Amino acid sequence: MLRQQVSNQLWSLLREYFPAMIEAFRDKPGTLTRPDARRILAVAPTHALAAKLQLWKLTAMLRRAGCRRGHRDGR
């Protein structure tokens, strides 16, 4: 029950303050429970912080989270 409440709160906050995060992971299996989604939220919990991420840092972060395809090298 508590886990569902926390999940609902997260979705509600993201819908209000960071809708791009929801959109980015909407069609992916696991949505926001994926390692790459969790890593992005840990480093950039707001759209303002996410916008400041340099492409190479984002790419490296996603690779460390286990993503291997679909990301440019940032150069």
Side-chain angles (χ1 to χ4, degrees):
M1 182 66 103
L2 179 60
R3 183 177 176 163
Q4 186 61 46
Q5 288 174 333
V6 171
S7 177
N8 290 342
Q9 288 174 341
L10 175 62
W11 278 90
S12 178
L13 289 169
L14 287 174
R15 252 191 310 278
E16 187 172 345
Y17 296 106
F18 199 180
M21 185 68 185
I22 291 174
E23 189 62 34
F25 290 94
R26 179 179 308 269
D27 296 330
K28 307 232 185 312
T31 59
L32 297 177
T33 62
R34 298 166 53 93
D36 48 350
R38 291 193 323 263
R39 178 151 328 240
I40 290 171
L41 282 173
V43 173
T46 67
H47 61 84
L49 291 172
K52 292 179 183 178
L53 281 176
Q54 295 174 336
L55 182 59
W56 70 270
K57 286 183 181 179
L58 179 60
T59 302
M61 183 175 47
L62 291 172
R63 284 192 181 129
R64 281 193 302 273
C67 294
R68 297 289 180 243
R69 294 185 283 157
H71 305 292
R72 296 184 295 173
D73 65 5
R75 294 183 206 154

